[in-house]
Amino acid sequence: MNRRLQSLSTILVMGCSMLLVLLASGAQATCFPQGGTQSCQFTPSCKGVMTCNEYWSECEPTGQSTVACSVCGRSGYRTCDGEGNVVGGSCSAYKTKDDICNGCDDDGDGQIDEDVAPLGACDPLQNGCLGTVQCIGGQFQCYIAPQTRYLACADDCGGYSAKRWCNTDGTVGVCTRDDPAPEDCNDCDDDRDGVVTTRRIREPTPSRAHARAPAGAYALAPRRRVPAVTGPAHARHRRKRATGSTTTATGASMRAVCAGRIPWPAPVRRRRARPRARRAAPCRTAVVAR
């Protein structure tokens, strides 16, 4: 019995020593099923995975961390490099294309809504300025590229070729001639200075009589105030006029006076009557009945 116990103890000691040697040499236990995976922690912030290939492989990084992040309302996790370090600014919620009209950088390339395709043609003011529905500021809007659309307006420029260029919002500019010309009185920008002249002031053309007359011949004399004819001379003139004579007491003809060949008689100045002093009304005693 003692010999058997000694042999068993010897076998156990040898087996334990062999197991310790195998563990020290890196031996691994077999796994099942073949090709299966098992998650592991590559670093405290980066995840890893082990693969079963008869034996479990070492923990390899998956590129995904345990640090949460969000992009344009979508949740995700930051990525890790091959050494197990978290990459700043990275997030698994980023898309491969920025094809959503939301005013956000979905793919992380620094541009916003650059991959959104236009929807179709549009006419915002129904005036013929056609544009395309594009994503602008996170919303679909009708947009007209500058200097791409115009409306013909030859009728406003006397039949000459002219255009009204469409603005980005569908409004139109002033009617501008294709070839600049002197400004005319119309609804067109003839000289292409950006201003439409609707009135042109012309200098008056002198008549032939004015052209032959010397300078100042047709100048108007300043108007003078005609004094009133009053007094006894006026009364005598009225009596003479009633009898058919138009001569005053001095022998001057009234017609000559009106024609300006002789001076007008001096007006008679009337003295203003002094205002009379108002007398104070006598005081009256009022009797109040009780």
Side-chain angles (χ1 to χ4, degrees), residues 39-49 59 61-70 75-81 84-88 90-92:
S39 60
C40 60
Q41 198 70 25
F42 184 71
T43 59
S45 299
C46 296
K47 298 179 180 181
V49 64
C59 186
T62 59
Q64 186 178 5
S65 70
T66 58
V67 181
C69 61
S70 62
S75 301
Y77 293 92
R78 300 199 180 276
T79 57
C80 295
D81 56 11
N85 301 319
V86 179
V87 179
S90 61
C91 189
S92 60

Side-chain angles (χ1 to χ4, degrees), residues 19-30:
L19 181 60
L20 292 175
V21 172
L22 291 174
L23 293 175
S25 62
Q28 298 176 350
T30 58

